Amino acid sequence: LKLLNAEEDMDRVPEFYISNSSKEELCLEYVRVFNDKFTDLYPKHKPLFLVSNNEFGVSKFVPTTLRPTLLPFRELYDCKDLAEFVANYLDFEP
């Protein structure tokens, strides 16, 4: 990641590249608090990728979403059938 010089390139980039709005700062604070709580609750878990620095070194929130999806395998919707599938078709290797 190449950091750009904000003074040289300021004319060519939008303002939100070189600074955060108050709403973005508030969002980053929420993310920091969440990340601290997550780390306290799950200390052995890999760190979450929630914030990254852009080309100008400004911290930005990295939004991600998960969209619920229906599987084409109706037999996996029921808990009992799902447990049977896991027991019969998957091998556990510690």
Side-chain angles (χ1 to χ4, degrees), residues 10-29:
M10 194 178 281
D11 300 341
R12 301 183 313 171
V13 297
E15 180 68 25
F16 62 86
Y17 268 55
I18 55 178
S19 65
N20 285 327
S21 68
S22 58
K23 286 184 179 182
E24 287 175 308
E25 288 296 335
L26 181 61
C27 178
L28 287 170
E29 183 59 30

Side-chain angles (χ1 to χ4, degrees), residues 9-61:
D9 298 315
M10 194 178 281
D11 300 341
R12 301 183 313 171
V13 297
E15 180 68 25
F16 62 86
Y17 268 55
I18 55 178
S19 65
N20 285 327
S21 68
S22 58
K23 286 184 179 182
E24 287 175 308
E25 288 296 335
L26 181 61
C27 178
L28 287 170
E29 183 59 30
Y30 286 138
V31 169
R32 286 183 193 105
V33 170
F34 173 82
N35 198 34
D36 290 344
K37 289 179 181 182
F38 184 87
T39 303
D40 289 343
L41 289 172
Y42 306 102
K44 295 181 181 178
H45 196 280
K46 284 183 171 183
L48 300 175
F49 184 68
L50 300 173
V51 175
S52 181
N53 290 342
N54 68 6
E55 299 86 352
F56 291 92
V58 177
S59 294
K60 296 290 185 174
F61 172 57

Side-chain angles (χ1 to χ4, degrees), residues 62-82:
V62 180
T64 57
T65 58
L66 297 175
R67 184 173 46 186
T69 303
L70 293 176
L71 298 173
F73 311 104
R74 291 233 173 244
E75 59 273 10
L76 298 182
Y77 291 160
D78 181 55
C79 187
K80 184 179 176 185
D81 293 337
L82 177 61

